[in-house]
């Protein structure tokens, strides 16, 4: 774990991210708040590309909780069977859809507590939905962000909650809205776990990571 970087270095890092990609986007395909919730819930221990392949057909026939319930557990399972842990995930999709219909009139709530109460929706999923759909500056810490935060010293922490707090405490406010997308994409394609592509890194000179690749 690297030491916490100073404010000015962190500012330079995110200023470069912003110059490179002013409006970073998540890679999970969705058409509304509901399909985003489902897509993120399905993405646990799965790749975004794998989830997208499964949900294209699913969302074509069920893009609301009411339609998902009409499709039923067997129909959902058939669509998501290529995704890891698909049986439990299909059950969660049906359960969360029922709760949305019964308790929220079919509308996805905009509070973290309400989102986290849904089956299969944890803190990370809630933060993704709040950020991407409701435009709140929440930080969804996944393995890519956890690695990047600790490797660079941008947001070091022993667990995901500590990294999330470090992001909120140390990354300048003007970058908070897009911070987690910049870090996810950088961690996914450049700052990889086993073999980071340091030669293509736009913040390589600001990064204290000692085991850089050449």
């Amino acid at each position: 774990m690297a030491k916490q970087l100073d404010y000015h270095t962190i500012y330079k890092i995110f200023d470069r991210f912003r110059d490179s990609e002013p409006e970073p986007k998540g890679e999970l395909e969705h058409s509304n708040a509901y399909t985003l919730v489902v897509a993120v819930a399905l993405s646990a221990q799965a790749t975004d590309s794998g989830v997208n392949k499964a949900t294209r057909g699913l969302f074509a026939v069920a893009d609301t909780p009411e339609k998902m319930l009409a499709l039923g557990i067997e129909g959902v399972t058939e669509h998501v069977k290529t995704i890891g842990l698909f049986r439990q995930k299909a059950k969660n999709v049906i359960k969360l859809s029922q709760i949305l219909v019964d308790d929220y009139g079919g509308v996805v709530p905009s509070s973290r507590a309400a989102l986290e109460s849904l089956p299969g929706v944890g803190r990370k999923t809630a933060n993704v939905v709040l950020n991407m759909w409701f435009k709140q500056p929440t930080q969804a810490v996944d393995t890519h962000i956890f690695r990047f935060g600790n490797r660079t010293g941008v947001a070091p922490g022993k667990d995901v909650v500590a990294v999330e707090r470090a992001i909120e405490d140390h990354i300048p406010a003007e970058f908070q809205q897009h911070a987690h997308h910049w870090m996810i994409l950088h961690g996914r394609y450049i700052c990889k776990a086993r073999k980071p592509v340091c030669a293509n890194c736009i913040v390589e000179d600001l990064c204290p990571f000692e085991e850089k690749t050449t």
Side-chain angles (χ1 to χ4, degrees), residues 16 39 52-53 60-62 83 87 109-110 139 160 164 206:
R16 290 184 191 179
N52 288 338
K53 289 179 181 178
V61 295
I83 302 174
R87 294 188 189 281
S110 60
Q139 307 302 329
V160 294
E164 180 181 329
L206 302 172

Side-chain angles (χ1 to χ4, degrees), residues 16-17 148 152 186 190-191 196-207:
R16 290 184 191 179
F17 283 159
F148 175 80
T152 63
H186 195 72
I190 301 297
C191 198
V197 192
C198 298
N200 294 342
C201 177
I202 62 174
V203 298
E204 186 271 339
D205 59 311
L206 302 172
C207 173

